[in-house]
């Protein structure tokens, strides 16, 4: 006989629930479950209780879920409202009871009602979110650069294009960073907005008990005209080998650049710092230019490559009309959505000067799950590849190639941020 499952209440939290909810969150992420008053106060300052869910068993929180408003850049530079999902945990004692199913269904229905075009998340584990209609829309890579092997001129003393690089402090970054990031993010499909709190946390103005703070170095690149075009935040260790040889590593926390010149000069700067023999790039786009800024690209090796931003389409028409297309063509998509949020048959008409999408009764060219549409939407995935894997079905011969000609982009989308 199966064991009866006691009733577990899934609901939005109140301010009084934050300590218990935070304890459950820490437990799920294998952090110490202790919750300091400062942590409670910090969470209360930014979470939206109506969008923060908990599962409560006999009054104790045993699962957590939070979403918040986000702006996501699509192909062409427009942004769409997204339902950003984070802080998803289920306490080990309460696994396999459908708690995530209930929280996810509640949140996605609210996002659909609110008018969000997509939902987004960064998955801690790959197998979980496909069943909720999410597909991996961007990937990320980390490079490790062997500086002595890179072939760079050790006599380099600064940019040769008339620009300059300066060390700045955290207060400077909070002043100049937001405007630069807005310029960069609007040119990068897959990028998300950074609010004021992001900059406060990234520069130490807000310090979290759960993330001990180490002050990083900050460097800014200004063009010959004096415009801020690049920023980097990095840490350095203190490691020396036998014979008093320096073996120090510069680890990039984040680097944003509005131009290839700014990007090139910031990487060159990092590789020119005395005592630095290794540079770790932090998370970058999988087709990042970094290796080819080096005379010997083999000096930069990929040490991590993984899925990053996952997308769940909630409004097919608005999602496909929001982005631009490099080619011209027409495609009828049969979108399958078991949750009933975005399924249907849609005709996409795309051209360089705009696109239209509308429900249709015409015969489908491609049939795909809403998760595969999420993977294709920002231009990274290939419909031909998905068809070969049996995850997209051609109803008309050659339709997958047409989809790739319309949807894929010349540079890969990338989300620079964790959330």
């Amino acid at each position: 006989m199966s064991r009866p499952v006691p009733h577990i209440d899934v609901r939005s939290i109140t301010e009084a629930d934050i300590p218990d909810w935070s304890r459950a969150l820490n437990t799920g992420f294998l952090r110490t479950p202790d919750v300091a008053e400062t942590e409670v106060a910090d969470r209360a300052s930014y979470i939206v209780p109506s969008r923060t869910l908990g599962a409560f068993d006999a009054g104790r929180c045993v699962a957590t879920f939070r979403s918040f408003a986000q702006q996501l850049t699509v192909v062409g530079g427009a942004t769409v409202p997204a339902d950003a999902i984070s802080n998803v945990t289920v306490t080990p004692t309460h696994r396999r009871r459908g708690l995530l199913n209930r929280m996810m269904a509640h949140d996605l229905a609210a996002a659909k009602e609110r008018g969000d075009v997509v939902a987004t998340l960064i998955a801690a584990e790959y197998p979980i979110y496909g069943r909720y209609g999410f597909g991996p829309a961007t990937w990320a890579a980390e490079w490790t650069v062997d500086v002595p092997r890179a072939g760079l001129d050790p006599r380099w003393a600064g940019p040769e294009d008339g620009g300059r690089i300066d060390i700045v402090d955290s207060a400077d970054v909070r002043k100049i960073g937001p405007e630069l990031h807005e310029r960069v993010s609007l040119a990068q499909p897959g990028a998300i907005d950074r609010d004021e709190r992001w900059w406060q946390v990234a520069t130490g103005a807000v310090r979290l008990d759960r993330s001990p703070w180490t002050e990083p170095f900050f460097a800014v690149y200004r063009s010959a005209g004096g415009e801020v075009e690049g920023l980097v935040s990095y840490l350095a260790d203190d490691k020396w080998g036998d014979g008093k040889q320096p073996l120090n590593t510069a680890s990039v926390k984040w680097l944003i650049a509005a131009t290839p010149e700014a990007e090139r000069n910031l990487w060159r700067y990092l590789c020119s710092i005395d005592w630095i023999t290794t540079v770790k790039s932090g998370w970058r786009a999988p087709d990042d230019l970094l290796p080819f800024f080096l005379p010997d690209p083999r000096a930069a090796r990929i040490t991590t490559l993984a899925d990053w931003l996952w997308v769940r389409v909630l409004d097919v028409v608005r999602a496909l009309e929001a982005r631009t297309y490099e080619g011209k063509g027409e495609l009828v998509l049969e979108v399958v959505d078991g949750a009933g949020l975005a399924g249907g048959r849609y005709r996409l008409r795309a051209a360089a000067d705009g696109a239209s999408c509308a429900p249709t009764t015409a015969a489908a060219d491609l049939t795909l799950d809403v998760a595969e549409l999420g993977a294709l939407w920002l231009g990274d995935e290939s419909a031909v590849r998905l068809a070969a894997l049996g995850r997209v079905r051609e109803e008309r011969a050659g339709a997958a190639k047409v989809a790739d000609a319309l949807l894929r982009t010349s540079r890969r989308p990338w989300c620079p941020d964790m959330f």
Side-chain angles (χ1 to χ4, degrees):
M1 295 177 63
S2 62
R3 179 172 59 91
V5 178
H7 175 71
I8 298 176
D9 186 23
V10 172
R11 59 171 173 82
S12 300
I13 70 168
T14 66
E15 188 171 343
D17 293 318
I18 294 177
D20 190 28
W21 187 91
S22 298
R23 177 201 51 76
L25 178 69
N26 289 346
T27 299
F29 284 145
L30 300 181
R31 300 193 291 244
T32 176
D34 293 342
V35 180
E37 291 183 4
T38 51
E39 181 176 350
V40 173
D42 176 59
R43 291 199 186 283
S45 71
Y46 69 86
I47 66 171
V48 179
S50 63
R51 295 183 64 165
T52 305
L53 302 176
F56 294 85
D57 184 0
R60 182 182 180 87
C61 188
V62 294
T64 64
F65 190 109
R66 181 174 73 89
S67 70
F68 58 94
Q70 183 183 81
Q71 291 293 315
L72 172 65
T73 302
V74 302
V75 180
T79 61
V80 298
D83 177 52
I85 294 170
S86 187
N87 296 155
V88 179
T89 73
V90 176
T91 300
T93 55
H94 285 69
R95 299 168 68 241
R96 304 294 184 262
R97 301 193 190 184
L99 298 182
L100 177 54
N101 292 348
R102 293 169 63 187
M103 294 188 295
M104 183 68 76
H106 182 284
D107 184 80
L108 292 180
K112 177 75 172 181
E113 178 68 22
R114 196 166 48 240
D116 291 333
V117 174
V118 297
T120 62
L121 55 81
I122 294 175
E125 298 178 61
Y126 192 100
I128 295 175
Y129 294 101
R131 66 180 183 265
Y132 301 113
F134 288 84
T138 79
W139 290 65
E142 183 176 36
W143 275 268
T144 298
V145 180
D146 182 348
V147 174
R149 181 182 174 179
L152 296 166
D153 185 348
R155 298 169 297 175
W156 190 84
E160 299 164 356
D161 58 1
R164 62 177 292 160
I165 293 176
D166 296 297
I167 295 290
V168 294
D169 61 25
S170 56
D172 295 321
V173 173
R174 289 192 293 274
K175 292 177 184 177
I176 63 179
E179 190 277 333
L180 173 64
H181 179 264
E182 184 174 5
R183 279 191 284 140
V184 172
S185 64
L186 292 179
Q188 177 59 63
I192 58 176
D193 57 324
R194 293 178 177 176
D195 60 14
E196 181 181 356
R197 187 175 185 278
W198 189 97
W199 292 100
Q200 292 175 337
V201 172
T203 58
V206 170
R207 302 191 181 187
L208 309 177
D209 293 338
R210 59 189 179 276
S211 303
W213 176 253
T214 300
E215 184 77 13
F217 301 96
F218 300 103
V220 58
Y221 169 84
R222 292 183 174 88
S223 68
E227 185 175 13
V228 173
E229 292 188 344
L231 270 173
V232 63
S233 170
Y234 64 96
L235 298 169
D237 63 9
D238 184 20
K239 182 179 180 181
W240 292 72
D242 297 337
K244 292 187 67 177
Q245 293 299 311
L247 299 171
N248 297 297
T249 297
S251 298
V252 173
K253 294 171 68 67
W254 50 267
L255 184 153
I256 55 174
T259 65
E261 291 76 16
E263 193 174 347
R264 180 194 303 272
N265 279 297
L266 286 174
W267 288 123
R268 185 66 182 90
Y269 160 74
L270 291 165
C271 291
S272 73
I273 299 172
D274 287 342
W275 301 353
I276 295 297
T277 58
T278 302
V279 171
K280 296 185 76 67
S281 71
W283 292 108
R284 306 294 302 168
D287 61 347
D288 199 78
L289 300 176
L290 169 59
F292 301 99
F293 287 145
L294 308 175
D296 184 352
R298 293 183 183 180
R301 58 187 176 90
I302 290 180
T303 45
T304 307
L305 176 66
D307 55 285
W308 195 249
L309 184 75
W310 289 59
V311 166
R312 204 281 186 211
V313 176
L314 297 170
D315 188 325
V316 174
V317 170
R318 291 169 64 202
L320 292 177
E321 288 186 343
R323 58 159 290 173
T324 59
Y325 300 84
E326 296 182 8
K328 181 179 181 180
E330 185 174 306
L331 200 63
V332 177
L333 302 174
E334 180 79 35
V335 179
V336 179
D337 185 353
L341 296 172
R345 190 173 298 172
Y346 303 89
R347 185 193 300 274
L348 170 66
R349 290 189 173 100
D353 59 350
S356 65
C357 181
T360 183
T361 58
D365 299 315
L366 283 179
T367 297
L368 69 169
D369 188 85
V370 68
E372 313 309 338
L373 180 61
L376 291 166
W377 177 55
L378 290 177
D380 193 51
E381 187 53 89
S382 161
V384 170
R385 188 165 80 154
L386 293 180
L389 292 168
R391 290 160 53 187
V392 165
R393 185 173 72 247
E394 283 191 323
E395 309 294 355
R396 177 173 59 85
K401 288 186 177 180
V402 173
D404 279 357
L406 292 178
L407 295 169
R408 300 201 81 183
T409 54
S410 53
R411 291 290 303 272
R412 298 182 72 174
W414 174 50
C415 178
D417 292 312
M418 170 72 78
F419 59 91

